[in-house]
Amino acid sequence: MTIDLAGLLAYAASFGVLAAINVVICLSLELQWGRAGLFNAGVAGFVAVGAYASALLTAEPAAGHLAGPGLPVIAGLAAGSVTAGALSVAVGSLARRLRGDYLAIATFGAAVVLELLLRNLTPLTGGPLGLAFIPRPFAGLADRPLAFALASFAWVGFIALVLYVGIGRLVDGPWGRTLRAVRDDERAAASLGKSPVRFRLEAFALGGALMGLGGALKAHTLGFIAPEHFPPTLTFQVWAMLVLGGAGRRQGAVLGAVLVTALWSATDLLLAFFVPAGAQAQLAPLRIVVVGALLALGLLWRPRGLLAERLRVSRYL
Amino acid sequence: MKDDHDPRPPPVLEARGLVVRYGGVCAVDGVSLAVAAGEVVGLVGPNGAGKSSLFDALAGDRRPDSGEIRLGGTRIEHEGAEARLGRGMGRTFQVPRPIGSLSVLENVMLAAPGQAGEGVLASLCAPARVRAAERRLAARAAELLDDVGLDGHADANAAHLSVGQRKLLDLARLLMAEPRVLLLDEPMAGVHPATAERLGERLTALAADGRAVLFVEHQLGLVAARCTRVIAMAAGRIACEGPPAEVLADPRLAAAYLGRTA
């Protein structure tokens, strides 16, 4: 048996695309939970909103549904982020003061409502079948899998890198410092003139917008989306990434995202190679069990994640 | 009411008829007071007299059930703590509240008002400006830590400080916010006597600088040494008020501490 080097490389690049998208989504949750202590139980919903908004605005007009004006992908990414960010502001304002359990319930509820809308608002969302023919950058290379995978990894990876750097400027500076104060002791922060509501809402909106961006990236790399791409287990997966990697540190979010994506892909391969085709569908849910078990072990060994939060905030000292 | 020839500057902080109730308990029962720039006013009285509740109402941590609060002539009783700090009045807490996930130095830097880097856009687009501001803040914060005697602890985790050190950190943090009116809730409790003495000097210097200081303290010696005026509270009301020597000798104060009404 010869090893197909090009095939292997293409697989690695596709894995890289998937991992980079998960890094974006996990960094968003890190912003909300790690830095601001905001419990988002509806990650999948915010990701889905970004994906559908971008897909609808970039797709060519077609018979049967309301797909849109065929804007360039970059405009779609921006629109996906803005839409998800606006949704975050709405949900955040409803869960007034954005505290603890109320926010968790509000975000969970929002995600459930969104999933129902995606499945049933067929003229807009395509219903259970979803949306297809979403433009993919470098689609001209699609008949050369290696070149296409590498190009996709390059542009998605670039966006993830820009976000990583940008979020760093925010959270490792005065903004992140005040956010930590608000997270740890709201009353002390307010007594120092900091508005807890303002900082929480900023973190929640920014995190939500970046989740939307992650969803839009998903749409433009897959080329089609359906409600099943944004199941409630997606929320669980992203939380598992963050908790394993370590909330309160960007590197933790990245590490967790890459690890869980790798585990997910590895179990996918194991299923494909070692399980008869007929049984694959039944065994696929076991992957959730594997991630859950890993999460439990991680929490036992390193309760604060592989990379724990550091004391110093300001990168300028 | 006010003498036209009163040489004192007009009050910066003024409260009239403040009432704070917890259910059926009236913790602050119609308190009126005024603190002028340049004054150090001591607030004394036994536990449960309503001093901390009065502070909570003045600082905006608890909305008074009735009464007026004015800062520089503006009514502020409807505003929250963060807005009142923006107007120039800040507090420390009886049980200090350090941010445990920050270093001591960053706890102090945190309090600086109007930081460019607290804006999302400025942080993203003008890192050079943020860096310059951070350097200035760090230098100023180090100065204040030095002032309160916490130099050498700048890089420590704020959660690891002793209670007395936390009090000092609370004070340094408040000073970083540069308020005109300082409400200090037992700033010297648990603090080493030598440091407490230094803090006392610091309060006098702040007043000389034109700020108004209102502070709760149980060590009456410190109160006598540092205050220009003393207000004694008992059972939610002002029992007596005046120069330290008079108030501390007033039988009503002793009666309040001993639980009797004079």
Side-chain angles (χ1 to χ4, degrees):
Chain A
M1 182 178 135
T2 56
I3 295 173
D4 176 7
L5 194 62
L8 216 57
L9 211 56
Y11 181 80
S14 322
F15 168 79
V17 170
L18 207 58
I21 293 172
N22 284 337
V23 162
V24 168
I25 300 172
C26 192
L27 278 172
S28 326
L29 186 64
E30 202 275 314
L31 198 59
Q32 293 183 337
W33 171 248
R35 311 294 171 149
L38 301 168
F39 196 102
N40 188 340
V43 176
F46 295 92
V47 175
V49 163
Y52 274 82
S54 189
L56 283 170
L57 286 171
T58 52
E60 294 298 332
H65 67 79
L66 297 167
L71 295 179
V73 169
I74 186 124
L77 296 179
S81 313
V82 169
T83 313
L87 176 72
S88 309
V89 171
V91 173
S93 308
L94 281 177
R96 224 170 73 79
R97 300 179 69 80
L98 293 164
R99 265 199 302 227
D101 319 349
Y102 304 107
L103 184 64
I105 293 165
T107 47
F108 182 74
V112 170
V113 170
L114 280 169
E115 203 196 345
L116 285 173
L117 286 177
L118 294 185
R119 286 188 187 281
N120 296 296
L121 217 59
T122 310
L124 188 66
T125 64
L129 295 177
L131 301 172
F133 306 112
I134 301 166
R136 296 188 294 173
F138 305 105
L141 299 173
D143 51 342
R144 290 155 58 201
L146 176 60
F148 180 68
L150 286 175
S152 298
F153 177 61
W155 77 269
V156 176
F158 176 72
I159 289 178
L161 187 68
V162 167
L163 283 183
Y164 180 83
V165 173
I167 291 177
R169 282 193 179 175
L170 276 176
V171 297
D172 296 341
W175 188 77
R177 181 165 60 216
T178 304
L179 205 54
R180 264 203 213 186
V182 166
R183 178 195 69 183
D184 289 357
D185 189 341
E186 172 175 349
R187 207 172 148 204
S191 84
L192 296 171
K194 316 296 173 186
S195 161
V197 174
R198 174 200 139 183
F199 281 93
R200 285 212 191 95
L201 199 57
E202 279 179 2
F204 192 64
L206 205 58
L210 297 183
M211 283 173 192
L213 178 61
L217 291 174
K218 209 169 196 167
H220 292 290
T221 46
L222 286 174
F224 61 95
I225 49 171
E228 72 204 43
H229 288 120
F230 312 99
T233 47
L234 175 63
T235 302
F236 163 74
Q237 259 182 302
V238 181
W239 270 100
M241 292 170 192
L242 184 62
V243 171
L244 266 178
R249 223 163 131 183
R250 283 174 303 154
Q251 293 92 327
V254 172
L255 183 65
V258 173
L259 275 182
V260 172
T261 312
L263 189 76
W264 205 253
S265 304
T267 47
D268 215 14
L269 283 180
L270 287 178
L271 276 178
F273 282 119
F274 297 109
V275 175
Q280 278 177 17
Q282 280 102 335
L283 282 178
L286 272 180
R287 298 193 295 170
I288 292 278
V289 177
V290 173
V291 173
L294 189 77
L295 184 64
L297 287 176
L299 284 172
L300 281 175
W301 282 324
R302 291 188 74 93
R304 302 184 64 199
L306 291 169
L307 300 173
E309 181 173 342
R310 283 178 303 186
L311 178 64
R312 167 151 285 173
V313 172
S314 187
R315 49 166 43 205
Y316 305 108
L317 292 178
Chain B
M1 224 170 98
K2 209 171 140 201
D3 187 349
D4 283 340
H5 303 292
D6 191 338
R8 287 186 304 175
V12 179
L13 169 66
E14 212 177 351
R16 270 189 218 149
L18 275 190
V19 174
V20 176
R21 278 194 202 95
Y22 299 98
V25 180
C26 199
V28 178
D29 189 5
V31 167
S32 299
L33 57 80
V35 185
E39 272 194 305
V40 179
V41 178
L43 188 59
V44 299
N47 289 326
K51 304 182 299 293
S52 286
S53 296
L54 175 64
F55 259 42
D56 284 352
L58 291 175
D61 285 307
R62 195 190 158 84
R63 209 148 284 186
D65 292 282
S66 66
E68 283 178 19
I69 305 170
R70 286 171 199 268
L71 192 64
T74 312
R75 294 267 300 258
I76 56 161
E77 67 269 7
H78 55 280
E79 290 180 350
E82 71 232 34
R84 294 189 200 188
L85 190 103
R87 289 186 184 278
M89 177 166 69
R91 74 169 302 176
T92 62
F93 295 90
Q94 187 180 0
V95 178
R97 308 179 80 106
I99 305 299
S101 62
L102 293 176
S103 71
V104 169
L105 186 75
E106 288 210 68
N107 259 276
V108 179
M109 292 172 72
L110 163 72
Q115 299 178 45
E118 280 186 333
V120 171
L121 280 182
S123 296
L124 290 176
C125 308
R129 217 172 95 212
V130 176
R131 181 175 300 116
E134 283 286 276
R135 291 216 179 104
R136 274 199 309 277
L137 292 186
R140 173 81 185 123
E143 259 174 51
L144 288 170
L145 286 177
D146 197 35
D147 270 5
V148 300
L150 277 181
D151 44 322
H153 293 87
D155 291 325
N157 185 336
H160 295 164
L161 296 181
S162 71
V163 174
Q165 289 170 328
R166 290 179 185 201
K167 289 260 177 192
L168 299 174
L169 174 57
D170 253 23
L171 180 64
R173 208 164 60 172
L174 180 60
L175 291 174
M176 188 78 182
E178 301 196 331
R180 287 178 297 139
V181 180
L182 292 90
L183 307 172
L184 310 177
D185 203 343
E186 298 189 31
M188 288 143 184
V191 171
H192 188 276
T195 315
E197 186 53 38
R198 246 177 97 185
L199 278 188
E201 287 165 19
R202 176 86 202 178
L203 296 188
T204 308
L206 282 167
D209 194 31
R211 304 184 201 218
V213 179
L214 177 65
F215 80 110
V216 173
E217 190 50 67
H218 285 299
Q219 302 174 55
L220 299 182
L222 273 167
V223 173
R226 292 296 163 195
C227 293
T228 47
R229 194 153 56 89
V230 176
I231 298 172
M233 276 185 85
R237 297 170 186 234
I238 292 183
C240 52
E241 182 178 354
E246 270 176 37
V247 173
L248 298 183
D250 195 306
R252 283 173 293 184
L253 180 64
Y257 270 101
L258 295 172
R260 288 191 296 255
T261 47

